[in-house]
Amino acid sequence: MIRSVNNMFRYTLRCVNQCGLKEGLSVGPHQTHVGLNLTARPLSTLLQHTGRSGGQRNGPVCRPISTTRSVPSVPLDTDVLIVGGGVMGSSTAYWLKMFRNDLRVTVIEKDPRYTEASSPRSAGGIRQQFSTPENIQLSMWSMGFLREIDRHLSVSGEDGPDIQFRDYGYMILATDPHSAESMRRNNGIQTGQHGAAVKLLNTEQLTNTHPWMNCSDVLLASRGTDNEGFFDPWALLNAFRTKAASLGATYVHGDLAGFQLDDGQITHSVVKLSSDDTNVSIKARVVVNAAGAWSGAVAALAGIGTGPDTMSIPLPVEPRKRYIYILHCPRGPSPLPYNLITKEFYLFEQRKNPGYYLSGRSPDPEDEPAVDDLDVDYQYFDDHMWSHLMHRVPAFEELKVKGGWAGYYDYNTADQNAVFGHHPVVSNMYFVTGFSGHGIQQSAASGHATAQNILNQQYTDIDLSRLHFDRFIDNKLIFEDNVY
């Protein structure tokens, strides 16, 4: 396992250099930890070690560090520093402030307009149809949150957020015996263990109810009948951020430049401010790595993946570029009764624009595009998608590509599942990353669980301990079958 994860080593070192770790900015010494049962101290204990109690605020909000000039509106001393102000970071900030409003929560975001951020570039689907119990539970919990979003994320004096949720489910097709068997097994987990509203359809049932679809090679289909659908990802991100800020979370426009560590623990985070390109050093008791596709690089700045023993194992999260194409076909199935997924493509209909669809796919390993930019490769659609769309929906012979966009997955190269919990050595760094394309739909539950774990060192709703960093050390990977 160490060998398989260490294929990230060169990548993380490259990211350390690209992220501006300068000579003289310490990332050590690193604590060697052989056992895997190191328990991070609860935040209340960390606060006590700095002369602060968990329930009472002492001292000024901002305490400048002598080696760094004071910058107005930038807290130089905070309880929790969140790296990444996208949907995961903002959800975590919201829940921390909801659980403990006296906490000082600071969020670092390098792209406050989110022009290249992954969250608003998502397709915005939510589904229960996963193979991993934790993913099923995270999506079901988040779905309950979204149904009551007005109650949770309304800001006093303003209308509640409109995320334009449309409840119309997913249909996943299996076209080979192995996929069909996996679908049956996953259905048992989804329905039998977790009560998800998912039913299986055989070829005859599918053919009788879907005359517009070529079902000749479909062996089995899985359809979600409730608690699945589509929402506006930008609206959800904005709602979390606005609510977190209204509760007192501070957002800082800047880029993480490095960490200062003492005895294996992060003491300060060095942030390059976008306003004037100066560096400030922010003292924090806890750091949350919610940097999405760049989380592996952030972890490397703390020495994770660049040291001896346990510290030689990197956080196996890197950016993977994905395309979403806008298609138009006036004779296509409309309204499309669900979001359709096959191993060759996924397909959503833009319900406000009948005949317009969103489609994409995860490329084969040999076709992975470079991540240097967010340009869209339309030739990829012609070469790898169009024939599959026409085969499945014959009317799509007349479709036209009207546009598209690209975004980044925070891709976990080890097992395509999220990473939660704290690092076993740098134990005041917590992770909420690595979702590999299904993050935004699970953001409400993931932020909630991360806040619980930071404050109480345990989970009370969904046990995510199997998804902690330790699994990369113990070679106990948790693979997710349904990543598209």
Side-chain angles (χ1 to χ4, degrees):
M1 176 55 208
I2 290 178
R3 183 170 64 251
S4 66
V5 174
N6 271 340
N7 62 13
M8 283 285 293
F9 181 73
R10 293 181 181 176
Y11 169 77
T12 53
L13 279 181
R14 184 171 72 249
C15 290
V16 168
N17 295 328
Q18 291 174 348
C19 289
L21 184 61
K22 299 178 176 65
E23 183 179 359
L25 179 60
S26 173
V27 294
H30 303 306
Q31 170 185 343
T32 301
H33 177 65
V34 179
L36 301 177
N37 295 318
L38 176 65
T39 301
R41 290 173 292 175
L43 184 59
S44 58
T45 306
L46 291 169
L47 294 179
Q48 290 169 6
H49 280 264
T50 61
R52 299 165 59 85
S53 67
Q56 182 178 1
R57 181 182 296 278
N58 298 310
V61 173
C62 301
R63 289 199 287 258
I65 299 173
S66 59
T67 56
T68 308
R69 71 181 184 88
S70 176
V71 179
S73 77
V74 177
L76 300 183
D77 192 337
T78 191
D79 296 320
V80 181
L81 181 76
I82 300 173
V83 182
V87 72
M88 287 299 169
S90 293
S91 173
T92 302
Y94 159 71
W95 285 113
L96 284 168
K97 294 297 290 183
M98 284 295 293
F99 290 145
R100 283 274 305 278
N101 190 254
D102 64 309
L103 286 180
R104 299 170 302 169
V105 177
T106 302
V107 184
I108 305 300
E109 174 53 51
K110 65 180 180 180
D111 180 19
R113 294 186 178 182
Y114 301 100
T115 54
E116 296 188 357
S118 298
S119 298
R121 290 174 174 268
S122 162
I126 182 169
R127 57 186 164 92
Q128 309 161 87
Q129 298 182 65
F130 290 97
S131 64
T132 307
E134 290 87 345
N135 284 328
I136 299 168
Q137 294 175 76
L138 286 167
S139 286
M140 291 181 70
W141 197 101
S142 293
M143 187 66 253
F145 178 92
L146 295 183
R147 289 194 183 280
E148 298 184 341
I149 194 169
D150 281 358
R151 181 169 68 86
H152 293 294
L153 298 186
S154 293
V155 175
S156 178
E158 299 180 9
D159 294 335
D162 178 13
I163 63 168
Q164 301 180 45
F165 177 71
R166 302 291 183 268
D167 188 352
Y168 51 86
Y170 274 75
M171 173 82 83
I172 302 177
L173 306 182
T175 55
D176 62 80
H178 175 74
S179 298
E181 181 57 34
S182 295
M183 184 173 286
R184 290 188 183 93
R185 182 175 61 252
N186 294 341
N187 182 262
I189 298 171
Q190 295 156 8
T191 61
Q193 297 182 22
H194 301 289
V198 182
K199 67 177 182 179
L200 298 179
L201 301 174
N202 60 31
T203 305
E204 182 180 0
Q205 291 170 317
L206 200 63
T207 301
N208 291 339
T209 54
H210 298 76
W212 50 268
M213 186 193 305
N214 175 12
C215 304
S216 60
D217 58 343
V218 179
L219 301 182
L220 195 66
S222 175
R223 180 175 180 183
T225 59
D226 193 17
N227 290 330
E228 294 187 333
F230 177 87
F231 61 89
D232 181 343
W234 167 250
L236 181 61
L237 166 59
N238 189 54
F240 270 124
R241 175 177 172 138
T242 300
K243 183 64 174 184
S246 75
L247 294 172
T250 301
Y251 281 74
V252 174
H253 183 190
D255 198 4
L256 183 73
F259 294 113
Q260 296 172 338
L261 285 83
D262 182 18
D263 194 27
Q265 302 296 287
I266 297 170
T267 60
H268 297 81
S269 302
V270 180
V271 177
K272 183 177 182 180
L273 299 178
S274 299
S275 57
D276 56 9
D277 285 339
T278 59
N279 284 354
V280 296
S281 184
I282 302 176
K283 184 178 181 181
R285 283 79 181 154
V286 168
V287 173
V288 178
N289 186 344
W294 317 110
S295 297
V298 168
L301 290 173
I304 296 169
T306 67
D309 301 317
T310 298
M311 290 295 286
S312 70
I313 299 175
L315 175 66
V317 177
E318 66 181 44
R320 292 286 177 91
K321 185 177 176 180
R322 296 292 181 263
Y323 307 120
I324 297 179
Y325 300 97
I326 303 171
L327 313 178
H328 182 226
C329 183
R331 295 181 58 246
S334 184
L336 187 67
Y338 37 71
N339 302 326
L340 181 64
I341 292 180
T342 75
K343 64 181 181 181
E344 298 90 6
F345 64 85
Y346 62 80
L347 182 73
F348 298 174
E349 185 182 18
Q350 293 183 303
R351 289 298 180 92
K352 290 187 175 181
N353 300 291
Y356 282 84
Y357 306 86
L358 302 179
S359 189
R361 67 169 291 177
S362 289
D364 295 329
E366 63 271 18
D367 296 319
E368 282 286 354
V371 297
D372 308 84
D373 56 49
L374 286 172
D375 294 343
V376 178
D377 181 358
Y378 291 99
Q379 189 62 45
Y380 180 84
F381 177 86
D382 293 341
D383 294 342
H384 298 281
M385 291 182 60
W386 198 348
S387 62
H388 297 296
L389 284 159
M390 287 190 296
H391 168 75
R392 187 62 55 209
V393 183
F396 280 168
E397 183 178 3
E398 300 177 6
L399 71 75
K400 296 185 182 300
V401 179
K402 293 296 187 179
W405 70 85
Y408 295 119
Y409 277 10
D410 54 339
Y411 194 82
N412 176 351
T413 60
D415 59 13
Q416 294 78 63
N417 254 322
V419 187
F420 291 95
H422 62 81
H423 189 266
V425 178
V426 187
S427 57
N428 65 337
M429 174 178 277
Y430 284 75
F431 304 108
V432 54
T433 186
F435 291 84
S436 305
H438 51 268
I440 194 165
Q441 64 181 285
Q442 299 175 348
S443 56
S446 297
H448 181 266
T450 299
Q452 283 183 335
N453 194 28
I454 291 171
L455 294 171
N456 306 316
Q457 289 301 294
Q458 63 181 351
Y459 302 106
T460 59
D461 293 283
I462 304 171
D463 183 2
L464 300 175
S465 56
R466 291 202 312 157
L467 299 181
H468 283 197
F469 188 97
D470 291 352
R471 75 185 192 267
F472 306 130
I473 304 167
D474 294 343
N475 195 22
K476 294 181 178 179
L477 302 183
I478 310 295
F479 288 96
E480 173 55 55
D481 295 340
N482 294 346
V483 175
Y484 303 103

